Amino acid sequence: MTVIIKNEHDISKMRIVCRLASEVLDYITPFIKPGITTGELDTLCHEYMINEQNTVPAPLNYQPFGYPPYPKSTCISVNDVICHGIPGDKKLKNNDTLNIDITVIKDGYFGDTSRMFIVNSGSILGKRLVQITYECMWLGIEQVRPGAHLGDIGYAIQSHAEAHGYSIVREYCGHGIGNMFHEEPQILHYGRSGTGMQMQPGMIFTIEPMINAGSCEIRTMPDQWTIKTRDHSLSAQWEHTVLVTKTGYEVLTVSANTPAKPIITITD
Ligand code: MF3
Ligand code: CO
Ligand code: CO
């Protein structure tokens, strides 16, 4: 298996499906309040995809080798859940940090994006972790251009996270995406500049760093999907789907309420 270079037709379809994925996040944002359950948020997203967008939620019944089928339409990962949190009866409360990860399918193409949310004002630690993780994703995105190495992305992310005393989850990574949910190449969120594959125009992949306030060790829950920090420290993640263009990058997962690119102050 090799990296699939997308043509103009693929790229126009990917622009559409990636915008739709981002629009699910725009839609769900005002519902994120104390007392709502993650299961209710999932149902709202599911109905919006099916009834308003005519998209298919890619996570529902997704079954990579060795896993049970994923039972819901979104992943909602709260506080010390790193990723793949299964929506359920958990009620959101003040200061919770949560990631909502949306992948939709339209015309056979996949779009994948996630954002962090904080319930009401948030703790100092939670706000800082969410902000630094957002900066990490963007520092990774800014490495994307033809001829740059995949290791440049990982290096940019890892340096910024570690400069703030945070750790990078190693077990999960970004991925090529197109007519499949997970394609080559793997996009590691740690690494060394100048190493790994060189980027080429027409590659499309996600950048989705998972960053822990404490140790990088993980623990898989008995449901075989939910991944938590072993030390129960907070974890954050942001995700965009990105196209390598002739001159740099184009972020595809954009919609009316996509958060702005940050202004990053390097204090190291
Ligand atoms: N959206 C996740 C990613 O960014 C994958 C979720 S797989 C699921 O790659 F089955 F848990 F939904
Ligand atoms: Co992804
Ligand atoms: Co995702």
Side-chain angles (χ1 to χ4, degrees), residues 125-246:
L125 172 66
K127 285 191 284 192
R128 183 167 171 272
L129 177 66
V130 166
Q131 175 65 24
I132 298 300
T133 304
Y134 190 57
E135 294 177 1
C136 284
M137 176 187 68
W138 268 102
L139 287 166
I141 291 170
E142 288 183 325
Q143 301 304 311
V144 174
R145 60 173 174 79
H149 293 258
L150 292 182
D152 301 347
I153 298 174
Y155 178 78
I157 292 170
Q158 181 177 14
S159 321
H160 194 57
E162 291 180 354
H164 289 84
Y166 298 148
S167 69
I168 309 278
V169 174
R170 312 287 165 130
E171 288 83 351
Y172 301 91
C173 55
H175 50 92
I177 183 166
N179 296 119
M180 287 181 288
F181 199 160
H182 296 105
E183 298 180 355
E184 288 191 41
Q186 292 194 11
I187 309 296
L188 303 184
H189 303 115
Y190 58 93
R192 288 185 11 236
S193 300
T195 65
M197 183 185 294
Q198 284 182 288
M199 299 174 219
Q200 285 174 52
M203 286 183 180
I204 297 181
F205 50 76
T206 71
I207 298 178
E208 49 179 302
M210 281 147 267
I211 293 179
N212 299 346
S215 126
C216 64
E217 282 187 85
I218 70 169
R219 188 193 291 272
T220 306
M221 294 297 107
D223 63 26
Q224 296 181 62
W225 275 106
T226 308
I227 309 295
K228 287 190 179 181
T229 57
R230 186 165 278 270
D231 63 5
H232 301 292
S233 64
L234 282 185
S235 187
Q237 175 179 30
W238 291 81
E239 176 174 24
H240 269 313
T241 300
V242 178
L243 164 71
V244 185
T245 64
K246 283 197 178 115

Side-chain angles (χ1 to χ4, degrees), residues 5-265:
I5 301 298
K6 275 69 180 181
N7 62 30
E8 276 309 318
H9 173 79
D10 298 324
I11 291 168
S12 58
K13 293 289 188 182
M14 286 299 286
R15 281 198 186 98
I16 293 169
V17 73
C18 287
R19 174 180 48 79
L20 288 163
S22 187
E23 283 175 351
V24 178
L25 292 171
D26 292 354
Y27 163 75
I28 202 62
T29 300
F31 294 99
I32 300 170
K33 289 186 187 147
I36 195 162
T37 68
T38 55
E40 288 165 338
L41 292 172
D42 179 79
T43 301
L44 286 163
C45 289
H46 178 92
E47 306 270 303
Y48 184 76
M49 294 175 207
I50 301 292
N51 301 327
E52 307 292 327
Q53 295 188 320
N54 284 301
T55 56
V56 173
L60 190 59
N61 299 315
Y62 180 58
Q63 189 171 20
F65 183 77
Y67 284 79
Y70 189 80
K72 294 286 180 181
S73 295
T74 65
C75 296
I76 305 186
S77 303
V78 183
N79 294 334
D80 64 338
V81 179
I82 296 170
C83 64
H84 305 162
I86 300 176
D89 295 336
K90 187 183 175 66
K91 277 191 164 71
L92 295 183
K93 60 180 192 322
N94 255 350
N95 295 347
D96 279 346
T97 58
L98 62 148
N99 174 278
I100 303 186
D101 193 341
I102 300 293
T103 311
V104 294
I105 312 169
K106 182 84 161 182
D107 286 348
Y109 289 84
F110 290 68
D112 189 5
T113 186
S114 78
R115 296 182 199 159
M116 289 301 295
F117 300 90
I118 303 181
V119 181
N120 289 336
S121 51
S123 68
I124 304 259
L125 172 66
K127 285 191 284 192
R128 183 167 171 272
L129 177 66
V130 166
Q131 175 65 24
I132 298 300
T133 304
Y134 190 57
E135 294 177 1
C136 284
M137 176 187 68
W138 268 102
L139 287 166
I141 291 170
E142 288 183 325
Q143 301 304 311
V144 174
R145 60 173 174 79
H149 293 258
L150 292 182
D152 301 347
I153 298 174
Y155 178 78
I157 292 170
Q158 181 177 14
S159 321
H160 194 57
E162 291 180 354
H164 289 84
Y166 298 148
S167 69
I168 309 278
V169 174
R170 312 287 165 130
E171 288 83 351
Y172 301 91
C173 55
H175 50 92
I177 183 166
N179 296 119
M180 287 181 288
F181 199 160
H182 296 105
E183 298 180 355
E184 288 191 41
Q186 292 194 11
I187 309 296
L188 303 184
H189 303 115
Y190 58 93
R192 288 185 11 236
S193 300
T195 65
M197 183 185 294
Q198 284 182 288
M199 299 174 219
Q200 285 174 52
M203 286 183 180
I204 297 181
F205 50 76
T206 71
I207 298 178
E208 49 179 302
M210 281 147 267
I211 293 179
N212 299 346
S215 126
C216 64
E217 282 187 85
I218 70 169
R219 188 193 291 272
T220 306
M221 294 297 107
D223 63 26
Q224 296 181 62
W225 275 106
T226 308
I227 309 295
K228 287 190 179 181
T229 57
R230 186 165 278 270
D231 63 5
H232 301 292
S233 64
L234 282 185
S235 187
Q237 175 179 30
W238 291 81
E239 176 174 24
H240 269 313
T241 300
V242 178
L243 164 71
V244 185
T245 64
K246 283 197 178 115
T247 54
Y249 65 83
E250 178 182 335
V251 175
L252 300 179
T253 35
V254 289
S255 56
N257 289 321
T258 306
K261 178 173 154 178
I263 296 162
I264 300 171
T265 331

